[in-house]
Every structure is written in structure tokens, then in C-alpha cells.
Amino acid sequence: MSQQLILAKPSTKLPQPMLEEERTTISNLGRQMLEQGLTVGTGGNISARSGDHVAISPSGIPYRDITPEDVPIVDIHGEHIEGERQPSSEYRMHTGIIRERDDVGGVVHTHSPYASTFASLGEPIPASHYLIAFVGDQIPVARYETYGTAELAEAAVDALSGQYNACLLKNHGVIAVGESVDAAFEVALMTEYCARIHYQAISVGVPEILPDEEIDHLQDRFTDYGQDY
Ligand SMILES: [Zn+2]
């Protein structure tokens, strides 16, 4: 019996880019931000966490042009570790929230118009529509700080206070979080929807506000019934 010669096969695999799935999701959700009217121009930004790494939308590239390769990676302290493009100017806010919230796997920041209207008024949005339970018993407002600063990150963390899935950023826009970046995007959509309904309701009358017990009940139901609401 001849001895079988075992040759080591040369590896044909190229090194895998980091967080490939997260980068693809971010480039797709960027286009959806525009299509769903959640922002204008290059406003807003999106991040997805994987362990100690965060894929985040790049700075200054139009959403329709962002490819997965354009999406840089930072660590949870905001240090740029991969990708040629610069991370979004709001990387401190994304990583600041991610460091504080173990339950958060994705962050979406928008300038959606109805929610930004209440942000400019500095008014939280109360529970005038049941879908606010995606966020909590209200959508709170973070104090005003200049965009891109560590102070804005702190203000957002304070307003989210470990319990809300979104807050308004005073005179600016919206932060939405979720266990994944897709979940955070859904919360951003719900925030804008609730803001629009509340705006319309107070324009023609006085909406009734749902009690806290009902919000708790709704949050249990959302957990049980998944996407069917
Ligand atoms: Zn912004």
C-alpha cells in the first residue's frame, strides 16, 4: 500500500473584512433613512455593535453612495480601527450610549421632521398613541449640546436613563436604540410616527394620554407577539 501523500492546500481565502454583515446593514439602512423621510442630506447616522466593535456610518458621504466598504469600524471607546473613511462626527454619541447600555446592539440618529419639531420646542412626546410603547411611557428630551461633542453623548445617555429606547435631542433630532440596528431603525420610525400623530392630534383637539399601566401591558404584548402589532 503506497503511502498517501497529503499536501497542505494553499489557502484561497482572503481575510474577511470585519463586521461585514453590520457594514452591509448600515449601507442599506442609510438609503432607507432617506426613503422613509427620516433625514435630509447627509444628516443622521447609524451604528451596529458586535462585541467591543462598532460599525458606524461614514462622515460626509451621501447615503445613496455608501457601500459596505465605506463603513468604518471603531471600538466602543470611539477609536478608529478599520476602514479608510472617517467615522460619523457623532461617533462619541453612538459609542457613549453603547458603553452605557449592555442591551443596545444598534443606534440610529435621525433628523426626522415631526420629532425634530418637538425637539425644537423642548417638549417630550406623551403617550397619545399606543405605539409609543416601543420607546417607553413617553419620548423624553435631552438637553441641548453642540453636535459631535462628548457633552451631547452625555445628554443623550442621561435622557435615555437606561429605560427609554429613544429620546429627542433638543433643537436637533432623535436618538433611537434597539437590541439590533434593525430594531433601532424600527424605533426611529415609530418615534417619527408617534410625533406626527401627536402633532396632528394637538392641532385639532386634546388627545387622551394612555396610563403607565397600559404602556407596561403593551410592552409585555410586544415582547410576546413579536412584529405583529
Ligand atoms: Zn444630527
Side-chain angles (χ1 to χ4, degrees), residues 43-45 90 93 109-111 147 169 172-173:
N45 24 72
E90 294 289 15
M93 184 162 60
H109 166 50
T110 78
H111 293 168
Y147 85 96
L169 303 173
H172 183 160

Side-chain angles (χ1 to χ4, degrees), residues 77-176:
H77 302 287
E79 185 139 345
H80 186 182
I81 56 173
E82 192 175 295
E84 288 179 16
R85 304 289 190 174
Q86 284 303 306
S88 158
S89 60
E90 294 289 15
Y91 73 89
R92 290 183 189 87
M93 184 162 60
H94 288 254
T95 55
I97 292 166
I98 283 168
R99 283 199 306 277
E100 289 293 322
R101 292 272 299 257
D102 288 342
D103 60 324
V104 167
V107 179
V108 173
H109 166 50
T110 78
H111 293 168
S112 62
Y114 284 94
S116 296
T117 302
F118 288 102
S120 289
L121 294 168
E123 278 185 22
I125 299 168
S128 53
H129 192 286
Y130 86 100
L131 286 173
I132 207 164
F134 267 79
V135 174
D137 59 3
Q138 60 159 329
I139 306 172
V141 189
R143 63 184 177 274
Y144 181 79
E145 297 287 355
T146 307
Y147 85 96
T149 61
E151 288 75 18
L152 181 59
E154 274 176 36
V157 166
D158 289 350
L160 294 170
S161 66
Q163 57 171 325
Y164 293 106
N165 287 330
C167 68
L168 307 178
L169 303 173
K170 194 161 185 290
N171 304 97
H172 183 160
V174 173
I175 273 283

Side-chain angles (χ1 to χ4, degrees), residues 20-226:
E20 197 173 12
E21 195 183 323
E22 288 81 359
R23 287 170 140 170
T24 303
T25 304
I26 286 172
S27 77
N28 291 335
L29 287 178
R31 279 180 276 281
Q32 283 194 47
M33 284 254 279
L34 283 180
E35 285 163 15
Q36 302 274 358
L38 294 181
T39 197
V40 291
T42 57
N45 24 72
I46 306 169
S47 68
R49 175 188 196 159
S50 176
D52 285 345
H53 295 129
V54 180
I56 184 162
S57 48
S59 178
I61 305 180
Y63 283 114
R64 64 179 62 82
D65 297 335
I66 296 173
T67 65
E69 295 71 39
D70 288 327
V71 177
I73 311 291
V74 297
D75 68 16
I76 55 168
H77 302 287
E79 185 139 345
H80 186 182
I81 56 173
E82 192 175 295
E84 288 179 16
R85 304 289 190 174
Q86 284 303 306
S88 158
S89 60
E90 294 289 15
Y91 73 89
R92 290 183 189 87
M93 184 162 60
H94 288 254
T95 55
I97 292 166
I98 283 168
R99 283 199 306 277
E100 289 293 322
R101 292 272 299 257
D102 288 342
D103 60 324
V104 167
V107 179
V108 173
H109 166 50
T110 78
H111 293 168
S112 62
Y114 284 94
S116 296
T117 302
F118 288 102
S120 289
L121 294 168
E123 278 185 22
I125 299 168
S128 53
H129 192 286
Y130 86 100
L131 286 173
I132 207 164
F134 267 79
V135 174
D137 59 3
Q138 60 159 329
I139 306 172
V141 189
R143 63 184 177 274
Y144 181 79
E145 297 287 355
T146 307
Y147 85 96
T149 61
E151 288 75 18
L152 181 59
E154 274 176 36
V157 166
D158 289 350
L160 294 170
S161 66
Q163 57 171 325
Y164 293 106
N165 287 330
C167 68
L168 307 178
L169 303 173
K170 194 161 185 290
N171 304 97
H172 183 160
V174 173
I175 273 283
V177 303
E179 61 184 15
S180 66
V181 65
D182 289 303
F185 191 84
E186 184 91 350
V187 171
L189 282 173
M190 294 303 168
T191 296
E192 179 60 5
Y193 181 74
C194 289
R196 181 177 172 183
I197 297 303
H198 189 64
Y199 178 95
Q200 292 174 175
I202 61 176
S203 300
V204 292
V206 180
E208 274 193 43
I209 305 305
L210 293 166
D212 290 352
E213 308 84 74
E214 179 57 8
I215 300 297
D216 292 343
H217 180 215
L218 287 164
Q219 287 181 325
D220 290 342
R221 281 180 73 94
F222 288 165
T223 309
D224 290 348
Y225 292 87

